[in-house]
Amino acid sequence: MIDFNMKLASISRDKKIQFDDVLISPKLSNINSRKEVLLDTIVKFPNSQISWKGIPIMASNMDFVGTFEMGIALQDFNMPTAVSKFYSPNDWVNAIDHGLDFDFNFMTFGLDSIKKIHEYFDFIYKKKSQLPKSIVFDIPNGYINSFHSLISDTRKEFPKLGIMAGNVVTPDGVAKIMDSGADGVKVGIGSGSVCSTTNVTGIGYPQMSAVLECCEEVSKFSGFIISDGGVRSSADIVKAYAGGSGFVMIGSLLSGHTEGLAPLVSKDNKPFRQLYGMSSSEAMLKHYGGVEDYRASEGISVLIEDKGDVKNTVTQMLGGIRSACTYIDANNIGEISANSQLIRI
Ligand code: 5GP
């Protein structure tokens, strides 16, 4: 039994904002056509010293999104994928045989042991003489000590490995993850389309404010953030860059495609594909054989109308970003933030 603590909670006085609460004001521009906008951008990784080049829109490591097939389709656009945690080292070897490129495909780990990382790396190196260039550590609550120890152990073992880790939504969380040796911090709690964390726990943070506040902190480390969750259109991607994000991670917008491999289901004579949250009971049943007694499901399952091949969606998405750049005189994604005057609406 523990005594009830009467110390009062603090409350922030400023109103926190979502992507929908802002717009970007247009300005005089020297860019006369969308064709002039080059989307490829360099993102600098401060600890591993990697200079990553590509279009920094990352497919999420969710089931039916972060597949090898998605990774292979997106790498043609120079776009990265955080590949699902649930592939075996041998699956990776097969994917490499089919052309998977480590520049654009990041292995994802959870709260795993450093031994598991070694096992994956050693197996792949033995078979293919290649090593992953960057990895993503993804856990729902990036505030826990054991997670920070895993990041710092990994950094010690692999000084040249790109490490992105999260999720957190506040500057203290960002500082802890950067201090542990990460290059970039994944930001977003409660914003995902199939996430029910805010309903189940009361924890969360509006994504636009999380991006702005975390970017300010990460810049002290010369790192970057990956805005993760809540993107419903190309406009939201632009707003995340305007807030200072290095990468934007996307789940539902990239779901419902052939490459995600979700089986087609018919409803009202239309084809649909499933998407579920990675903390949903569906995901826990599939990967861990069920929901443990001490846990609650923090994700939902939805049906997404089949969108066909992902290249159609990507072309639309990139067109939207190019158009945004012409309105604000940004030559590439890296210039969006400095050229953006955000207005609250
Ligand atoms: P979306 O782009 O669909 O809005 O958000 C994708 C993000 O939602 C993922 O990258 C991940 O961070 C988060 N997410 C995925 N599944 C779940 C879940 O079951 N619960 C919670 N809380 N977040 C999830």
Side-chain angles (χ1 to χ4, degrees):
M1 199 78 87
I2 296 172
D3 282 348
F4 183 68
N5 186 341
M6 271 305 290
K7 188 167 173 278
L8 293 178
S10 64
I11 182 160
S12 82
R13 300 284 162 203
D14 58 326
K15 191 168 176 272
K16 303 298 177 185
I17 51 177
Q18 304 280 14
F19 291 133
D20 271 354
D21 295 320
V22 295
L23 283 172
I24 303 161
S25 167
K27 59 188 267 195
L28 293 175
S29 177
N30 291 312
I31 301 164
N32 295 305
S33 159
R34 286 161 213 205
K35 275 190 247 158
E36 293 173 31
V37 179
L38 282 176
L39 293 181
D40 278 73
T41 300
I42 290 173
V43 181
K44 292 229 155 70
F45 287 47
N47 285 314
S48 59
Q49 306 272 309
I50 291 171
S51 265
W52 184 87
K53 191 173 174 211
I55 300 180
I57 300 173
M58 195 185 303
S60 170
N61 54 289
M62 296 167 73
D63 287 3
F64 306 139
V65 179
T67 58
F68 287 131
E69 289 74 5
M70 182 67 75
I72 287 173
L74 294 186
Q75 72 189 24
D76 282 348
F77 292 89
N78 290 353
M79 279 167 58
T81 297
V83 177
S84 165
K85 296 168 190 173
F86 300 103
Y87 287 118
S88 71
N90 202 40
D91 294 335
W92 276 89
V93 167
N94 288 334
I96 295 166
D97 286 338
H98 285 89
L100 190 90
D101 182 345
F102 271 140
D103 278 329
F104 299 104
N105 288 281
F106 308 144
M107 213 174 253
T108 309
F109 292 97
L111 200 54
D112 289 307
S113 63
I114 193 98
K115 191 168 150 253
K116 178 171 173 185
I117 301 174
H118 267 297
E119 274 165 18
Y120 271 68
F121 282 25
D122 294 349
F123 187 89
I124 293 168
Y125 191 76
K126 258 191 213 133
K127 302 262 179 192
K128 305 298 331 163
S129 305
Q130 285 186 44
L131 280 175
K133 294 181 181 168
S134 296
I135 62 168
V136 175
F137 280 121
D138 172 50
I139 68 168
N141 174 3
Y143 287 88
I144 59 177
N145 281 333
S146 49
F147 187 54
H148 309 137
S149 310
L150 174 64
I151 299 168
S152 53
D153 291 349
T154 308
R155 171 55 71 219
K156 271 180 221 134
E157 298 265 327
F158 304 102
K160 297 267 182 297
L161 179 69
I163 300 177
M164 293 165 269
N167 283 16
V168 295
V169 283
T170 53
D172 57 339
V174 169
K176 190 73 197 173
I177 287 179
M178 289 306 293
D179 274 334
S180 307
D183 296 290
V185 181
K186 205 148 71 75
V187 170
I189 292 179
S191 315
S193 62
V194 286
C195 156
S196 55
T197 294
T198 49
N199 294 334
V200 175
T201 67
I203 308 292
Y205 215 97
Q207 190 65 11
M208 189 73 214
S209 286
V211 166
L212 288 162
E213 293 166 24
C214 291
C215 283
E216 198 176 331
E217 183 67 20
V218 88
S219 66
K220 296 177 193 162
F221 299 84
S222 308
F224 56 87
I225 73 147
I226 301 127
S227 173
D228 176 23
V231 165
R232 282 162 308 154
S233 63
S234 50
D236 292 342
I237 301 178
V238 176
K239 290 173 188 179
Y241 292 135
S245 301
F247 289 85
V248 180
M249 180 173 262
I250 294 186
S252 87
L253 216 59
L254 287 174
S255 71
H257 293 99
T258 328
E259 293 84 350
L261 306 184
L264 282 170
V265 289
S266 176
K267 199 180 125 195
D268 304 331
N269 282 327
K270 287 189 194 145
F272 285 83
R273 292 178 193 270
Q274 193 188 26
L275 175 71
Y276 50 72
M278 294 312 290
S279 303
S280 64
S281 34
E282 284 83 355
M284 286 190 259
L285 190 63
K286 178 165 178 193
H287 298 296
Y288 306 104
V291 185
E292 301 264 20
D293 286 348
Y294 63 89
R295 291 188 68 148
S297 161
E298 290 185 27
I300 58 164
S301 171
V302 293
L303 284 178
I304 309 274
E305 205 170 332
D306 179 40
K307 302 178 200 162
D309 291 350
V310 77
K311 67 170 189 293
N312 305 321
T313 301
V314 169
T315 309
Q316 282 290 319
M317 208 183 257
L318 301 186
I321 300 171
R322 272 195 203 93
S323 178
C325 288
T326 64
Y327 280 103
I328 56 170
D329 198 28
N331 288 294
N332 57 50
I333 288 175
E335 289 183 8
I336 292 179
S337 177
N339 286 24
S340 287
Q341 170 68 57
L342 284 162
I343 48 173
R344 283 181 60 172
I345 51 168

